[in-house]
Amino acid sequence: MIRPAELIQRKRDGEELRADELTELILGYARGDVPDYQMAAFCMAVFFRGLSERETSTLTEAMVASGETIDLGGLLGRKVVDKHSTGGVGDKTSLAVGPIVAACGVPFGKMSGRGLGHTGGTLDKLESIPGFRTELSLDEFVAQVRDVGLAIVGQTADLVPADKLLYGLRDVTATVDQISLISASIMSKKLAAGAQAIVLDVKVGNGAFMKTVEDARRLAETMIAIGNHEGREVTCLLTDMDQPLGAAVGNALEVREARDTIRGHGPADFTELVLTACARLLAYSDLGIDEVEGRRRAEAAVADGSADGAWQRWIEAQGGTHDEDALPAAPVVRTLASPEDGFVSSLSAITVGNAAVHLGAGRRTKEDQIDHAVGIVFHAKRGDQVEQGQPLADVHAATEAAADFAVREVLSAYTVQNVPVRTRPVLLEVVG
Ligand code: URA
């Protein structure tokens, strides 16, 4: 029998824990035998002391062992590809990638998470669609991927229950941004869900959990090592999160933007990331094509409307409506204008993410309810030239007071200077 308080103390003091101890701690937490407060203290000890490579893989394996696993590839008789993002502001990539990949004939079954801290979650975005069910049983999930080609669901209680609990706990205890904890969280879900090839979008910048390219590279290498050890192919795309991705931040607003993008009308940076991820996923699939051909097919699925067809079949299969007028809309929309002439040299993703949480688009405690209608839509981003009085962004808010606050916050996210600025591309580096 382990004593959690002793393990917390030993980790706090920088000791490496034995595999059986760490495994029992995680399984005990998943069973409800280890309380939240001890697990929170343990995560904080890990935050400061880190985990060794061996501990990180034990943690991942223990999380997988906390629940069931599925062999999606075996059940479908196909090679299954999956993607996951480390989390960012305005990151609705899975919503657009899923239908495009499915339209290209590759099954896409994904388990997604909720928002963490200032970053949004795919499930919260999907739940802004009236009627959409994110909680499918494992059987329903597999049947939908087989019949419709696409399903995005929440983690069922059966799959990696330890991560479901830990994810919520880390979110409210400032223990998200730790490389081993993120790696184990992401890879346990990907391994348990049976993907044979995985594309990981590792966000880098002030709105991401990894602030520097060096840290993002270390996170990427840790996740690739875990995946390869388990016989999976893994590629990491290191992508910019110094400014929000695309133009929309906020749940229903992002659903609209994802739909626009698969119809060929998305913002340039978001479209580029979506097509890059699709190309890699298609190259990993059993279609037997390379990335160049993958990109060509992804572009074709957008251009010929088949990606939008896949979107409609998917949303309906999960009980939702694809009528965009049914998406919730905020009662107050306020435009903020540029205070001066110049060039946008930065648009701080973290400031925007926090403003979105204040508006109600994210949670401050585990129990908070999300307002799916609120958020921000940008008209000017890094590199754009603006004139005094020109609209920079629209704030969508529940009340006038919330709008006042968000307008001030979003304005403070902008830096405008009087010389042109070099912008950095959305894709910074590919690892693996
Ligand atoms: N996404 C996850 O699934 N887990 C993390 O810990 C961080 C981002």
Side-chain angles (χ1 to χ4, degrees):
M1 267 318 253
I2 51 148
R3 285 203 320 110
E6 183 206 319
L7 300 191
I8 296 166
Q9 184 184 346
R10 284 172 40 213
K11 182 41 69 188
R12 184 200 67 192
D13 296 342
E15 253 186 62
E16 183 172 12
L17 301 182
R18 292 197 316 269
D20 61 313
E21 294 172 326
L22 200 45
T23 303
E24 189 44 33
L25 182 71
I26 298 302
L27 296 181
Y29 180 58
R31 282 194 307 267
D33 296 343
V34 176
D36 269 355
Y37 56 84
Q38 285 187 311
M39 205 58 201
F42 180 76
C43 288
M44 192 54 87
V46 170
F47 182 87
F48 284 112
R49 291 300 194 167
L51 292 179
S52 67
E53 205 176 300
R54 195 188 53 75
E55 286 175 310
T56 306
S57 72
T58 303
L59 174 65
T60 312
E61 283 163 14
M63 305 227 314
V64 173
S66 71
E68 286 181 23
T69 55
I70 48 172
D71 174 12
L72 196 51
L75 290 166
L76 298 173
R78 295 281 306 269
K79 182 174 180 188
V80 169
V81 298
D82 199 353
K83 82 157 276 289
H84 202 91
S85 157
T86 58
V89 180
D91 184 8
K92 70 277 312 167
T93 310
S94 296
L95 300 186
V97 164
I100 296 174
V101 167
C104 293
V106 171
F108 191 84
K110 176 166 162 47
M111 309 241 167
S112 285
R114 299 199 176 278
L116 271 182
H118 63 278
T119 70
T122 302
L123 288 190
D124 297 322
K125 299 176 212 270
L126 284 171
E127 285 175 355
S128 62
I129 301 173
F132 193 95
R133 288 171 59 219
T134 53
E135 309 249 322
L136 302 191
S137 68
L138 276 184
D139 287 347
E140 286 176 308
F141 172 66
V142 174
Q144 187 176 311
V145 179
R146 187 191 305 115
D147 301 341
V148 183
L150 170 57
I152 301 185
V153 296
Q155 273 168 267
T156 66
D158 315 327
L159 230 93
V160 204
D163 181 60
K164 194 168 184 173
L165 294 167
L166 262 179
Y167 199 89
L169 187 69
R170 288 167 53 220
D171 187 23
V172 291
T173 56
T175 51
V176 171
D177 43 349
Q178 203 285 332
I179 286 178
S180 292
L181 296 179
I182 296 177
S183 299
S185 165
I186 291 179
M187 293 309 291
S188 61
K189 286 182 290 229
K190 302 296 104 180
L191 298 176
Q196 284 126 308
I198 305 154
V199 174
L200 298 170
D201 181 0
V202 180
K203 301 285 182 203
V204 192
N206 74 32
F209 298 123
M210 298 296 107
K211 308 293 179 208
T212 64
V213 172
E214 291 70 32
D215 281 349
R217 228 179 261 137
R218 281 204 302 132
L219 174 59
E221 281 158 5
T222 305
M223 294 193 288
I224 290 170
I226 295 171
N228 290 349
H229 184 250
E230 303 291 333
R232 320 293 165 109
E233 297 166 284
V234 185
T235 292
C236 292
L237 309 175
L238 270 47
T239 67
D240 176 55
M241 192 34 70
D242 265 342
Q243 69 172 350
L245 180 62
V249 174
N251 299 285
L253 297 168
E254 292 188 46
V255 169
R256 276 179 210 281
E257 184 165 274
R259 179 97 190 262
D260 285 347
T261 302
I262 61 169
R263 290 193 283 205
H265 311 301
D269 61 341
F270 180 53
T271 301
E272 179 55 30
L273 175 55
V274 166
L275 293 173
T276 302
C278 288
R280 189 72 200 204
L281 285 162
L282 293 175
Y284 264 157
S285 76
D286 54 12
L287 294 182
I289 57 174
D290 64 11
E291 252 182 283
V292 174
E293 175 62 10
R295 171 93 184 205
R296 197 197 61 73
R297 291 197 195 182
E299 283 172 355
V302 170
D304 69 13
S306 52
D308 194 45
W311 169 284
Q312 296 184 28
R313 286 192 296 282
W314 161 47
I315 300 295
E316 278 175 11
Q318 282 183 241
T321 166
H322 55 79
D323 174 6
E324 280 155 274
D325 293 339
L327 288 169
V332 180
V333 179
R334 194 81 70 68
T335 299
L336 54 111
S338 178
E340 57 198 311
D341 292 347
F343 297 84
V344 177
S345 60
S346 66
L347 170 56
S348 163
I350 180 75
T351 309
V352 169
N354 286 332
V357 172
H358 273 116
L359 281 168
R363 294 181 189 78
R364 270 178 278 207
T365 71
K366 270 206 285 191
E367 289 74 31
D368 272 0
Q369 292 297 314
I370 278 188
D371 183 342
H372 291 104
V374 300
I376 304 135
V377 176
F378 297 98
H379 303 300
K381 289 183 56 182
R382 203 173 49 211
D384 288 342
Q385 185 167 15
V386 292
E387 286 175 13
Q388 188 184 17
Q390 179 180 328
L392 291 177
D394 295 329
V395 164
H396 295 239
T399 63
E400 296 289 347
D404 285 342
F405 184 80
V407 164
R408 281 197 301 276
E409 288 290 289
V410 175
L411 252 185
S412 77
Y414 276 97
T415 310
V416 175
Q417 65 182 43
N418 55 13
V419 285
V421 283
R422 269 168 56 98
T423 62
R424 72 171 181 173
V426 67
L427 178 65
L428 303 173
E429 199 171 304
V430 179
V431 184

